[in-house]
Amino acid sequence: MAEMEEQELADRMSWEEVTEADRRGLLEHSREFLDLFWDIAKMEQQTRLEATEKLLEYLRARPEGSEMKYALKRLITGLGMMREHARPCYSLALAQLLQSFEDIPLLSILQQIQEKYKLDSLTKATMRSSLFGNLFGVLALFQSGRLVKDLEALLECVKLLQALAQHHNHLQEQPRRALVDILSEVPDNLWQGLLPKVLSTDLDVILSSPEHLELFLLARKKAPAKLQKAMGSVNLFSDENLPRLVEVLRRAAASVKKEQKLPPVALGMLRLALEEDKFPQFWKQVVEQGLLQKQLWPVNYMCFYLLGTALPLLSKEQLQLVLRGDLARLLGEHMVTSQVQNKFKFLPELTKLVVTFLEGSRDDPEKQLAVLVDLTSITNQGLPAIPTFWHVTRFLSPRALQGYVAWLQEMFIQPKLDSLVDFSTGVQKKAWKATPSMPGRAVFRLRKWIIHRLVSMIDHMVQEKDEAMINQLARFCLFHSFFKTKKPVAQIPETKHQFSVPLEARDREIISDGFFSLLQALSSPVREAAAQALGGQLWTHRLLQLANTLLNQNRNVTPVTPFTTQQREAWDQMLQTLKELEARSSEAKATAFHHLLLLVGINLFKSPAESCDLLGDIQACIKKSMEETAQQPRAKATNSEEPPWVEVMVEILLTLLSKPSHLMRRVARNVFGHICSHLTHRALELILVVVNPESSQDAEDNVVVTDDAAEEQVRNGKDKDDENKNSDSEGEEEEDEESEEERDKDVDPGFREQLMEVLRAGKALGEGDSEDDGEELDDEAMMALDKNLASLFAEQKLRIQARQDEKMKLQKEKALRWDFQIRVLDLIEVLVSKHPKNALILELIEPLLSIIRRSSGGSKQERDLLHKTARILTENLFRTRQCCQGVGARADAVHAQLEQLVQQASRQTDSSIAFYYFNASLYLLRVLKMNPAPKSVPKKRQKKQKAVPESSSKDPQITSCLDLMRVTSAYSAALSSFLTKRNSPLTIPMFLCLFSRHPMICKNLVPIMVQHIAGPTRPHNQACQLLQKSLCISELKVCFEDAEWEQLISGVMAQAAKNLQALGTPQTKPEHQREASSLELLNSILRTISNKKLTVDLTGLLGVLQSQQQKMTENLQQGEHANTSSRLQDLYWQAMKYLGAQRPKLEKEDTKKVPSIPQSPISMKQKKKGFLPETKKRKKRKAEDMAQEAPSPAATAADLPPSTGKKRKKVKAKLPAQAQVNGTPPAKSPVPSDSPAKTPKQQKQQTPKAAQVSEAIPTSLAEPVAEKPHLKPLPKKRVLGKSPLSPLPRKKARLSLATRGPLLFQFGAKKKKTLRFTMSSSKK
């Protein structure tokens, strides 16, 4: 509202300022033109831009008209609006208008602005709008781009801004900032005249605010000679001016606190210090000793921005000063401690600044290298502050990148901690005062970071195809992970390095982990495919050959863990097998085995004993697999005690999956995908034992899950950051309270008894019969008691700690087991997705369902396991188009499994779990349907097939192995359970999915649903809903013949009508729901009859619905169950509409035309406020006479008042009054009962009188009704009735919805929305 009032005020003010001559032109303006000014002030940017563009187009077409004057006045008026977002919008629109029409003088516009917003006559009400109107007016002139070209207007704007600067409370520093922005665009030749007017010669004024200092710096740049003449030599870096300069910079940092950017005055001072060769003084005294003295985060961030912006401007010596000072340490501490959420992090901004510097200094690789080395040297206890994944190295030149890698390797071999800019956080300083620093800790942290940094750089190097650099890093990691130098040799460059601090076991462990991460980065599928396409070898193969070369150089190099004879033989045999596989590289299986051998061979250096056994088993499996490929597999194995090679390979893959390596996981998936076709039942059981441990008692002994990360954490537990160990005192108190509560919970009765015994033995418990009650214990007794209590509580503490450790161990084992099961599910996913026709998939269903049933979703690992299992079932199994083949011989077992799944689905407590069981049964049903029956059919099955009628011989289920009767019985029990059980886990969508996919089962289950319509309330409602949606399935109609379908529809309708009639008058909410569900089912059936043009007897249904009309109307008038009654009314009249009756319209009474009728209490309650009472309204004399002279309480159709609607044509024929009121056929007709049903033409001639049927009208419905319907003759088209009209007397009439035509029972409805009925005889 405020916005609209403000816009209307602007319209009125602009209109008053337009001359009389222009008003005539404005009257011709379209509303679209005026609406543009409303759209300009909208908050949406796109709307504002479009409105401004349309305004300019409109004005370009009429540059000389009154529209231009009005637009200028309206835009100037909008500059001073109170809404903050509207002022910049009008200012921008005015700027674009002035830019487009250069013939408009700027000075005149400025004068109009000053006249509109006068500064000399400010009041408290208009001050704010006037100040902002002038400010945004000047900004509009400046944004037009013409202000710096018009000296006169420029001088006036400068004066106006200087006047606005006096109102600091409202505008703050905005006028001075605008002045600086304007003057920065002014040419140098105009500065000679502007300098005395805009800049004060007093140095105190210059150093009073950032804006004055920025004007001074701007004047020094634009007119140095004029400034020198006016002020003389000015030294801002003198000892007197430095404190004031620091204060000005602090104010500048506070002014851009919200924007979080570098103030222009700070950058100007940096440039001035570089020009005057006083940068060291500026940086030391102003930045580090001045700005950093008070730890204010806006000032710190300004200094950080200043550091990043200064990088391209500084020399190497100056870079050393900046990146190795106090500001660098503060920057590193910020990057370490800014991990808290919702706290500003400067690292993204620093990354942008460093990238800008590196891109602009590609011609100076030494400077690039110096900056990156200095930033890496900022360390926290030896750990660099920048992250290992900092990808600014991709912008380095090749020479700088090579130098950076060489520096990292040199720091790894010979750490120079003295060259680092090291710092400690506040928490570390407090925690390490009492704890001495451990030797070698900083070296270990630095080496660990360097390895991870080198590995992270591999991704960029692979993209750039820098083969030499990748080879250098890979050789470095491989050599220092598993080898050590005996004697330096020129052929191996890595042997020339001598470690200043020897490598420890944990160092080599870190290097080996980094090496396998590097191997994973080099072994991605995309990179391997690219390497093979270019004819090169895989990186894994190259590194394996390098390792073989190092093994052969036993005089100069030795492994960290020397190979035994057996391990060396396994290594040599592996190399021979690799050569054989390379000869068959065209085969996909050989390639997969090749990758597996390479990976296990590399792991021989990390875990020799385990990998040696795996290598032997893998080679044996590869040999047997290749023999089967070359020859036909034998019928029997040569050695019955030896397991098949597939089972051995599956065990190997499970062993590899037990290790936390993503590379092993990917290779295992690849290998398993090639051996799935050879999978046996026993091999699958090995996988299922891991996935479903409940199926086997010895499941825990099959595969041992290793946790290398946990072991490393234990080994390196002392190397964690102390800030994670040492918490604040409040946190320690909370932990103590929690631990005390846990101890109280862990106290057992045995400990209490022991405590009581110790106290009794020390006579610390006072007893009533004791003689020494009043005596106190001596010192020796107290000391002995304290000693016993201390030992007792120490034992209890150890027991509690042991229980906690056992609990943590169990939780850790569960987490490891869940992670392992998630990795093993990869194999199942490969089997299901790549080999969907494998018959072994049927054995996966129940184990996967058991995972879903058992999962509680408590921990993250358990939720991941649950989600992955559900995804495999739904996406890879249930929704796939292909299914298992070759299950005809075991059809009975599949049928039993299906029955079990349906039963388990009915017994679940959660519908989400029952959903998977039910869908699994549907999958098995599809498997049975798509698999052909075996050639030898059992006798029982032959009898069943003979019992099938000939009409269904074309059914594909006859040729499949599906036993329809057995399956139907299983789903029949589930359906009965669903309809009768109160909290059934089954749902209607489950059965609809079954019915749509298998309509023959739906056909067999329809009688059960029809039977439960007459049951209690819940089975009735469920059966009605399910039956209503089932009859709409198009596939179901195909399973019935026409006569069967009509019989089914008739039976369902009769049962629903019978249930509706037996219900009577509903009193409770369940009864109302029961009636509503019956009406919904009837509506669905009637819709089907109407759409399909079926011939069904509707006489009984019509009578039932007619008997319900008066009851529903009374309930609606009395207000009982208002929501339910209105819904029932809608459903009822919808059904009556299909039967030919229209719902009466409830018209408002017009007292001018209708006689006054005493109002009931109900109508008095519903009287609206603001209307005259009935006694105050004028009444027609004629209406009163008609009310007094009425012969009977029931009015006839002829005596009813005329309708208030449109006039209609008179109709010759008249319908019975009962039909007009109730929408039902007359109960008694004057036509003789032995005459046949009349056609519409005959009915026109024999219309009963209104007086003869007036007694049949209920008194509660004696109200004005619509006018009489029109009747049309029936068309000549033949209806779907099977028999002609019967002349037999006293026979029921059959109503057909086959065609549409005029209604026999109709309220004043439109003729286009009517149903046609035809009468046909019914046979008993």
Side-chain angles (χ1 to χ4, degrees), residues 34 108 182 507 972:
L34 299 177
S108 64
I182 293 173
D507 296 329
S972 174

Side-chain angles (χ1 to χ4, degrees), residues 121-136:
S121 60
L122 293 177
T123 62
K124 188 176 182 180
T126 62
M127 178 178 292
R128 188 173 180 82
S129 60
S130 298
L131 294 177
F132 278 106
N134 282 281
L135 176 62
F136 281 99

Side-chain angles (χ1 to χ4, degrees), residues 1122-1139:
N1123 297 333
T1124 309
S1125 298
S1126 60
R1127 179 167 176 263
L1128 291 177
Q1129 285 280 337
D1130 296 339
L1131 293 174
Y1132 171 79
W1133 285 111
Q1134 186 178 356
M1136 292 295 290
K1137 182 178 180 181
Y1138 283 110
L1139 295 177

